Amino acid sequence: MRVSNWKDYELIDTSAGERLERWGKVILIRPDPQILWDTPKKNPLWEKADARYRRSSTGGGSWQELGRVPPVWSVRYGDLKFRLKTMGFKHTGIFPEQAVNWDLAMGLIQKANRSVRVLNLFGYTGAATLACLKAGAEVCHVDASKGMVAWARENAAESGLSNRPVRWLVDDCRKFVLREQRRGNKYDCIIMDPPSYGRGPGGEVWKLEEQIYTLISECVPLLSRDPLFFLVNSYTAGLSPAVMEYLLGVLVAKRFGGKLSSGEIGLPVTQSGLVLPCGGTAVWQAE
C-alpha cells in the first residue's frame, strides 16, 4: 500500500469507527467507516482533542468543539501550503492520503522536461492542482462548487503559486469535458477525483460505479498525441483499484501503449504501526 510522508499531519490512533488526528497543532476526532475494530484508546490525546465530529442519527452531523479550534489554520506538505477549517460532513479541506498522488504527478511532470498541460477534474480545494503547478505544468482546474474553487485559489496564494498558468473554472465536469471535445482542446495529463455519490440537476441519483466508464471514455479524446499520465481516484467501496486499472487499460493503454498500475493508498497509524486504507488509485502513464 502506498503511504504518505507528512510532518504537519499525523494519524495518531484509530478505534471504534473514529480517527484521532493531528493537523498542525490542532487535534481532531473524526468518524471513519473503515475502522471496524474497537481497540483500547490508550493515547491520552483521545481525551484532549480540540474538536470531535459526531454523526446524527437522522443523517449528517456536527462538530463539537472541546478546545480552541481556529476558524482557519494552515498546514504544509513540502513546499505546498493549505488552508484548513472544520467544515460540514467531517472534512477539513484536504485528504492527506492523496499526498502520494501529488508526489507521483510532480515527479512525472518534472521528469518529462517539456511543456505539460494538466486537466484536474473534480479539483476540490486544489491540492493536486498546486502540486502540478509547482512541478511546472499549466493546469485547468474544474469543480462544480464555487466555494471550493475559491478555496483552491486561496491555497494557491498561500503556496506562492498565484502567478502560475492556471484556469480556475466553476463548472459541471462532464459538461466541461464535452465542450472541450468540441473545442478541440488537448491535455497531456488528466487527474480525476470524482465523488462516490451525488444527484444531478434534475434530482437523478449519480453513482460513480455506474458512471466511471463514461467519464473516462469521454476524457480520452482530450488527451494529446503524446500524453504523460491519466490518474483516477476512488473512495467507493464497490469500485476496486483493479477495476479502475482495467478501465484505463481498455480505454487508454490500448490506444497509447504505456503502463498501468493500481492499488490502495493509506495513512500510517502511529499508535499501532499499521496502515489505515483510505481509498484506491489507478494510473496509466507513458513508457
Side-chain angles (χ1 to χ4, degrees):
M1 191 182 305
R2 297 159 60 223
V3 299
S4 309
N5 182 26
W6 278 86
K7 293 181 179 179
D8 277 7
Y9 172 84
E10 179 186 6
L11 181 50
I12 303 167
D13 197 10
T14 62
S15 181
E18 292 183 312
R19 301 183 182 193
L20 176 66
E21 304 170 297
R22 177 179 61 81
W23 299 80
K25 295 182 179 180
V26 177
I27 306 298
L28 301 179
I29 298 173
R30 299 190 299 154
D32 189 318
Q34 295 274 54
I35 301 170
L36 305 178
W37 44 93
D38 191 1
T39 48
K41 295 181 177 180
K42 296 180 179 180
N43 195 298
L45 290 176
W46 281 107
E47 303 299 325
K48 299 178 181 179
D50 296 301
R52 183 181 216 145
Y53 188 90
R54 293 194 178 275
R55 292 198 183 279
S56 168
S57 59
T58 57
S62 61
W63 286 97
Q64 176 189 8
E65 289 207 11
L66 306 169
R68 297 176 65 90
V69 180
V72 179
W73 74 101
S74 297
V75 297
R76 286 187 176 275
Y77 182 78
D79 294 328
L80 306 178
K81 191 174 181 181
F82 308 107
R83 292 165 59 87
L84 306 179
K85 59 186 175 183
T86 51
M87 54 189 293
F89 197 64
K90 78 178 182 180
H91 297 309
T92 62
I94 60 170
F95 295 94
E97 64 275 6
Q98 286 294 331
V100 293
N101 288 327
W102 311 336
D103 290 339
L104 174 64
M106 291 179 74
L108 291 173
I109 291 167
Q110 290 167 343
K111 186 179 178 181
N113 196 28
R114 60 180 171 93
S115 177
V116 174
R117 297 188 72 205
V118 177
L119 175 60
N120 184 14
L121 297 170
F122 311 95
Y124 196 49
T125 60
T129 291
L130 269 58
C132 294
L133 290 173
K134 186 67 180 178
E138 173 187 342
V139 184
C140 181
H141 174 106
V142 187
D143 195 279
S145 168
K146 183 177 181 180
M148 293 301 105
V149 174
W151 194 339
R153 294 177 71 116
E154 292 171 1
N155 283 336
E158 287 278 311
S159 298
L161 298 170
S162 294
N163 63 338
R164 300 296 176 94
V166 56
R167 296 170 65 202
W168 304 106
L169 299 176
V170 180
D171 205 343
D172 176 272
C173 288
R174 187 179 177 208
K175 291 179 180 178
F176 174 79
V177 165
L178 294 176
R179 286 199 301 273
E180 288 291 87
Q181 285 187 23
R182 294 193 292 270
R183 294 170 183 141
N185 286 334
K186 301 292 182 181
Y187 299 88
D188 304 295
C189 314
I190 295 177
I191 299 171
M192 182 187 293
D193 198 356
S196 297
Y197 178 87
R199 289 191 178 273
E204 63 275 13
V205 174
W206 190 94
K207 293 182 179 179
L208 179 58
E209 59 266 39
E210 297 173 358
Q211 300 291 333
I212 187 68
Y213 178 82
T214 299
L215 280 171
I216 295 175
S217 62
E218 290 175 344
C219 286
V220 171
L222 301 186
L223 290 169
S224 66
R225 291 183 178 179
D226 188 19
L228 194 58
F229 68 82
F230 197 129
L231 188 152
V232 184
N233 290 311
S234 171
Y235 290 90
T236 303
L239 185 59
S240 73
V243 168
M244 294 190 296
E245 178 180 336
Y246 196 99
L247 288 170
L248 290 177
V250 297
L251 292 170
V252 183
K254 278 202 171 184
R255 177 172 174 180
F256 294 101
K259 59 182 180 179
L260 298 160
S261 61
S262 65
E264 288 187 299
I265 56 176
L267 293 167
V269 182
T270 303
Q271 189 74 25
S272 67
L274 302 173
V275 176
L276 176 69
C278 298
T281 300
V283 184
W284 170 87
Q285 58 182 303
E287 292 284 5

